[in-house]
């Protein structure tokens, strides 16, 4: 079982963001970065499949400046065998441009499965995985919340609004990973030590020309400060009255 | 003058609400760029073409109907290939679709097939001459990004419920569109559709959401949440990740950064602390109510109306009061 996982380095989700001086990026001062959540689920699923198969290789690929090497090392400390950095000065906000670079790298090796996160925390676009699949002309399941691989075939569950569908597909294939499928493992001390010695290759990213550009960023308007209207069930009458007369939602 | 193509989403043979919203967006953009045509693609089992009336009402000039028995479920590869073929044979300024389970699959496929720039989950779209700009909430809704897109066709997927479906009373003419590949022999095949809880609206459509957290203490206490939702009558039930991790509720019910993003008229948070990742999925709700025994819980910072108290006591009382209030109508 040979599996590639594309991982992105993104800000920690606890961050209180500020817009940077340029007005078109976030202020990265004091912001912690880590592997994107959905990508970390994808790494976990890949490692579990390899362990179940008893043999194989899991390769992590990250496109970005040199700080993505840290993210690749983290993946290796979880158990990924090697890392590939597709070096670029910055990651454009253009999912198709990123997909082109990842597809250019992925097309040369024969993977049984290629995993992505359902979407990245920062862009929240959900484009890169499915677009890469299409560029590689591979079958693709977008946002799988369950996945089983057996006898060269895959079965996945996808959440629809208010329903779910089960799909079958042939390998090789691309799957983008939703939450609920697996919780990422914590790197062990031994994992962290051995990750330092695992191969990490760096190549230039063959990014497409970005055609989606950030013009500006802004923080959404704050909600008015909250208000506590009372304690215990005695407050229920007042609440219902406010819902009827003030909020007009009842 | 520019024409616009829309993917008007169906489930089975029924149009989804987002289909009307997407057509409305395209109509407005077509009018803003000199009055071009809006072409809406529907894909479904035979008979789906009859939905054309509805799409005309929202501003479609032409309905392109892909009908095939195997399109009773979402045969994504066939739909993508057919729309891409159509888009190559005509000139469209943009392709508009919903950012839904189907749309998040279809949009990137079209982008790759057509080498077209794509923006997803947008909440505003403006067109002026050659310039197309959108607003897109990113960083788990914590930053609103304005993006400009160059190149045609631009692929724009719109956040469900962010745009109104506006009636403009047009009559659409229907044209059949032949599938570019056989929908029955695609590489990814739907083998089963599992229906969700009966009688409840989906989280995206529900005007009221009652959501429960770990403060409910045990899975069986979710009955209190269900009862309150029933009292409202039009409510969906949601949950925090603490609850879906415990397996008290399915992951599909999870609201937040890594779950569903919702924006109902009324959100009732029951025994929920209000972690930043939960707020990311519900803070744009119109009115927020919180019930929590801890006066310092962060959920009270965003709650329009907070009650400090034990959910096991307050929620049944609220359910009774809501039932009474509904009766009084
Ligand atoms: C990367 C990442 C992604 C995440 N994504 C999500 C997401 O999408 N959605 C999400 O919800 N979370 C998400 N989380 C988890 C989030 O950080 C919180 O852990 C979670 O939301 C807490 O759920 P909770 O409020 O139910 O539980 P808790 O935080 O344990 O809160 C329970 C609350 O119930 C109150 N309570 C207890 N007993 C009672 C009682 N008898 N009556 C009244 N109140 C009572 C307590 O005072 C407390 O405030 C994510 C976390 C990470 C790190
Ligand atoms: N710069 C990148 N390097 C590696 N993988 C990426 C990168 N950007 C996005 N991805 C992958 O694509 C997924 C979806 O990203 P997006 O389309 O930006 O929401 C992520 O979860 C990653 O798996």
């Amino acid at each position: 079982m040979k599996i590639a996982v594309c991982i992105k380095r993104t800000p920690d989700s606890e961050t209180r963001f500020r817009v940077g001086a340029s007005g078109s990026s976030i202020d990265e001062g004091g912001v912690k970065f880590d592997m994107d959540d959905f990508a970390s689920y994808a790494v976990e699923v890949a490692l579990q499949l390899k362990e179940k198969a008893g043999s194989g290789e899991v390769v992590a690929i990250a496109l970005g400046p040199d700080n993505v090497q840290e993210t690749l090392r983290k993946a290796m400390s979880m158990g990924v065998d090697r890392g590939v950095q597709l070096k670029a000065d910055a990651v454009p906000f253009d999912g198709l441009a990123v997909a082109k670079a990842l597809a250019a790298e992925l097309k040369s090796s024969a993977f049984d499965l290629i995993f992505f996160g359902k979407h990245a925390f920062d862009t929240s676009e959900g484009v890169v995985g499915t677009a890469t699949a299409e560029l590689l002309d591979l079958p693709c399941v977008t946002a799988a919340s369950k996945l089983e691989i057996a006898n060269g075939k895959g079965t996945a569950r996808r959440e629809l609004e208010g329903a779910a569908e089960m799909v079958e597909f042939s390998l090789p294939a691309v799957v983008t990973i939703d939450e609920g499928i697996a919780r990422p493992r914590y790197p062990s001390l031994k994992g962290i030590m051995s990750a330092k010695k695992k191969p990490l290759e760096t190549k230039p990213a063959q990014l497409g020309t970005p055609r989606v550009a950030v013009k500006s960023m802004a923080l959404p308007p704050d909600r008015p400060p909250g208000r506590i209207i009372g304690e215990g069930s005695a407050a229920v009458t007042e609440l219902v009255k406010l819902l009827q007369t003030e909020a007009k939602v009842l | 003058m520019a024409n616009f193509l829309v993917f008007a989403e169906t489930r089975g043979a029924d149009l989804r609400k987002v289909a009307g919203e997407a057509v409305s967006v395209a109509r407005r953009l077509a009018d803003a760029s000199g009055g071009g045509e809006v072409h809406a693609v529907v894909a479904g089992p035979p008979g789906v073409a009859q939905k054309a009336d509805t799409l005309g009402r929202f501003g479609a000039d032409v309905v392109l109907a892909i009908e095939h028995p195997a399109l009773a479920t979402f045969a994504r590869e066939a739909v993508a290939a057919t729309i891409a073929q159509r888009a190559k044979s005509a000139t469209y300024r943009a392709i508009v679709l919903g950012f839904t389970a189907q749309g998040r699959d279809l949009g990137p496929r079209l982008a790759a097939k057509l080498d077209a720039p794509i923006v997803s989950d947008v909440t505003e779209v403006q067109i002026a001459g050659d310039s197309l700009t959108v607003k897109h909430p990113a960083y788990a809704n914590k930053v609103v990004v304005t993006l400009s897109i160059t190149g045609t066709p631009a692929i724009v997927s719109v956040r469900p419920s962010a745009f109104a479906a506006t009636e403009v009373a047009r009559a659409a003419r229907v044209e059949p569109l032949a599938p570019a590949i056989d929908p029955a022999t695609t590489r990814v095949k739907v083998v089963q559709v599992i229906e969700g809880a009966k009688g409840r609206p989906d989280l995206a459509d529900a005007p009221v959401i009652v959501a429960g957290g770990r403060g409910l203490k045990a899975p069986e206490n979710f009955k209190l949440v269900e009862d309150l939702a029933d009292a409202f009558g039009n409510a969906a039930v949601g949950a925090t990740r603490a609850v879906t991790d415990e397996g008290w509720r399915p992951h599909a019910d999870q609201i937040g950064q890594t779950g569903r993003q919702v924006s109902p008229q009324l959100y009732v948070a029951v025994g929920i602390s209000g972690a930043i990742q939960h707020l990311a999925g519900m803070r744009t709700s119109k009115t927020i109510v919180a019930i929590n025994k801890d006066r310092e819980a962060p959920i009270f910072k965003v709650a329009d109306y907070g009650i400090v108290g034990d959910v096991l006591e307050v929620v049944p009382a609220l359910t009774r009061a809501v039932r009474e209030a509904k009766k009084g109508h």
Side-chain angles (χ1 to χ4, degrees):
Chain A
M1 185 74 65
K2 218 179 149 197
I3 306 173
V5 189
C6 294
I7 60 175
K8 191 173 189 185
R9 175 182 181 269
T10 57
D12 184 272
S13 60
E14 298 279 349
T15 310
R16 296 201 176 278
F17 290 102
R18 286 158 313 197
V19 175
S22 69
S24 59
S25 63
I26 59 153
D27 177 355
E28 293 193 357
V31 176
K32 274 194 301 177
F33 285 79
D34 200 349
M35 189 188 307
D36 185 57
D37 295 315
F38 287 104
S40 71
Y41 311 148
V43 168
E44 179 62 38
V45 175
L47 293 173
Q48 288 181 13
L49 282 173
K50 180 189 151 184
E51 283 156 8
K52 204 168 142 216
S55 68
E57 186 186 39
V58 180
V59 183
I61 304 172
L63 181 151
D66 287 346
N67 52 26
V68 304
Q69 290 181 11
E70 193 191 333
T71 317
L72 289 166
R73 289 285 173 211
K74 167 143 189 207
M76 289 189 266
S77 69
M78 291 170 73
V80 164
D81 298 291
R82 60 185 176 89
V84 179
Q85 176 196 4
L86 300 179
K87 192 170 169 137
D89 295 338
V91 183
F93 215 106
D94 181 332
L96 186 58
V98 174
K100 283 178 182 171
L102 293 172
E105 168 62 21
L106 288 160
K107 70 166 191 265
S108 51
S109 345
F111 291 104
D112 300 299
L113 284 163
I114 305 172
F115 288 155
F116 293 83
K118 171 193 182 185
H119 63 242
F121 169 77
D122 51 1
T123 56
S124 310
E125 284 275 319
V127 165
V128 172
T130 309
T132 306
E134 210 41 75
L135 294 169
L136 294 168
D137 194 22
L138 286 175
C140 175
V141 179
T142 307
S145 60
K146 287 204 172 86
L147 179 67
E148 256 170 67
I149 305 292
N151 311 321
K153 255 183 38 187
T155 314
R157 178 185 163 112
R158 292 183 77 230
E159 305 304 325
L160 312 176
E161 297 79 17
E165 62 183 8
M166 300 298 298
V167 297
E168 269 178 17
F169 58 97
S170 54
L171 301 195
V174 171
V175 182
T176 79
I177 303 291
D178 197 352
E179 206 188 38
I181 199 163
R183 279 272 165 262
R185 67 191 65 187
Y186 290 104
S188 65
L189 196 57
K190 190 165 151 259
I192 294 170
M193 294 314 288
S194 65
K196 293 183 180 147
K197 289 179 236 109
K198 289 181 178 174
L200 196 167
E201 197 185 346
T202 293
K203 326 176 169 180
Q206 297 170 41
L207 277 170
T209 317
R211 289 173 294 178
V212 178
V214 177
K215 272 180 78 171
S216 61
M217 288 194 184
L219 301 184
D222 267 340
R223 285 189 78 89
R227 165 156 69 119
I228 289 176
I229 60 162
E231 285 184 21
S233 35
V236 158
T237 316
E238 173 70 2
L239 174 60
V240 168
K241 201 178 100 207
L242 287 166
L243 291 178
Q244 286 178 314
T245 56
E246 194 178 82
K248 298 192 170 53
V249 287
L250 188 66
Chain B
M1 215 162 74
N3 293 345
F4 289 77
L5 190 63
V6 177
F7 172 63
E9 185 170 329
T10 53
R11 170 118 18 114
D14 298 318
L15 281 171
R16 302 198 64 221
K17 180 166 154 275
V18 72
E21 296 165 8
V23 169
S24 276
V25 168
R27 178 76 265 154
R28 185 172 53 79
L29 296 177
D31 290 346
S33 45
E37 289 194 341
V38 172
H39 299 177
V41 174
V42 283
V48 84
Q50 284 150 26
K51 311 286 165 176
D53 292 354
T54 330
L55 295 172
R57 261 201 289 134
F58 295 122
D61 299 287
V62 180
V63 171
L64 300 164
I66 322 173
E67 294 189 319
H68 192 285
L71 289 171
T73 55
F74 181 49
R76 58 221 74 211
E77 291 159 300
V79 174
T82 311
I83 296 178
Q85 190 180 60
R86 170 75 190 193
K88 277 180 190 158
S89 71
T91 308
Y92 292 109
R93 177 68 185 83
I95 303 177
V96 183
L97 67 168
F99 190 62
T100 57
Q102 286 186 27
R104 69 161 69 239
D105 186 81
L106 185 60
R109 290 182 193 271
L110 294 174
K113 282 181 190 293
L114 296 166
D115 192 18
I118 176 168
V119 281
S120 343
D121 197 20
V122 312
T123 52
E124 283 178 42
V125 198
Q126 300 301 338
I127 196 161
D130 282 346
S131 135
L132 186 71
T133 44
V134 301
K135 284 202 195 311
H136 162 59
Y139 298 85
N141 291 317
K142 287 196 275 190
V143 179
V144 181
V145 183
T146 303
L147 296 164
S148 67
I149 304 102
T150 37
T152 44
I155 299 178
V156 179
S157 85
V158 296
R159 176 175 286 201
S161 301
F163 297 89
T166 318
E167 304 216 4
V168 293
R170 264 177 135 87
R173 68 175 189 277
V174 184
E175 291 173 13
L177 188 61
I181 58 173
D182 182 358
T185 60
T186 52
R187 297 174 298 186
V188 179
K189 253 200 190 62
V190 178
V191 289
Q192 191 192 355
V193 174
I194 302 156
E195 292 302 333
K198 282 271 169 304
R200 287 212 189 281
D202 177 58
L203 288 168
D205 302 330
V208 178
I209 293 175
V210 185
R214 188 149 43 197
L216 281 157
K217 295 286 196 284
E220 55 275 16
N221 290 335
F222 249 86
K223 173 89 171 48
L224 303 181
V225 172
E226 298 271 356
D227 288 347
L228 180 55
D230 287 341
F232 280 110
N234 48 2
V237 170
T240 63
R241 188 165 101 173
V243 160
T244 58
D245 268 359
E246 294 285 344
W248 297 0
R249 300 290 299 187
H251 177 260
D253 289 358
Q254 181 179 316
I255 292 166
Q257 179 187 314
T258 45
R260 300 284 299 276
Q261 329 262 299
V262 300
S263 207
Q265 293 296 305
L266 173 64
Y267 190 90
V268 185
V270 174
I272 292 176
S273 61
I276 196 161
Q277 297 91 353
H278 186 75
L279 299 183
M282 46 64 76
R283 67 175 308 141
T284 56
S285 304
K286 187 156 167 283
T287 299
I288 298 174
V289 168
I291 304 162
N292 193 306
K293 69 171 187 195
D294 174 11
R295 184 175 282 274
E296 302 301 321
I299 191 74
F300 286 130
K301 294 214 170 68
V302 299
D304 301 282
Y305 310 120
I307 297 183
V308 179
D310 186 338
V311 288
L312 303 183
E313 178 209 324
V314 177
V315 176
L318 179 58
T319 304
R320 282 192 296 275
V322 170
R323 269 200 216 112
E324 281 304 311
K326 286 267 172 183
K327 250 194 250 156
H329 271 228

